[in-house]
Amino acid sequence: AGGLLAREGDRRDLAAALAALLADPARGRAMGLAGRRRVEEHFDIRQRTAALEQIYDRVSASPGPPPGRRAGHRRPVLAAR
């Protein structure tokens, strides 16, 4: 298994899962290594940066206010003291 499951909001279930992990340090190490391997295989900072740059370019090139901002909405300004 790649992880532990606990029912949402069930503190006892979560505590039982964590207790099982504490009772088996080798399993915890194996899960940690598997998680790191998954991140290294599936997430690349260069790809994420390029994707975010594309989103930024699309949003900044579109006319009108940015998504989520109403027309006429003013941005707060901080004054230097």
Side-chain angles (χ1 to χ4, degrees), residues 4-67:
L4 298 174
L5 296 176
R7 288 182 293 277
E8 183 177 344
D10 188 333
R11 292 178 181 171
R12 288 185 181 171
D13 201 26
L14 178 59
L18 293 173
L21 196 55
L22 288 171
D24 189 355
R27 182 178 181 196
R29 279 190 296 281
M31 287 173 57
L33 290 171
R36 181 180 180 106
R37 201 168 31 254
R38 178 170 171 74
V39 167
E40 289 172 347
E41 290 173 1
H42 297 285
F43 299 95
D44 182 316
I45 190 67
R46 292 176 301 262
Q47 290 175 344
R48 297 303 325 139
T49 301
L52 290 172
E53 287 174 345
Q54 288 176 354
I55 292 169
Y56 177 78
D57 289 343
R58 262 196 332 265
V59 170
S60 64
S62 65

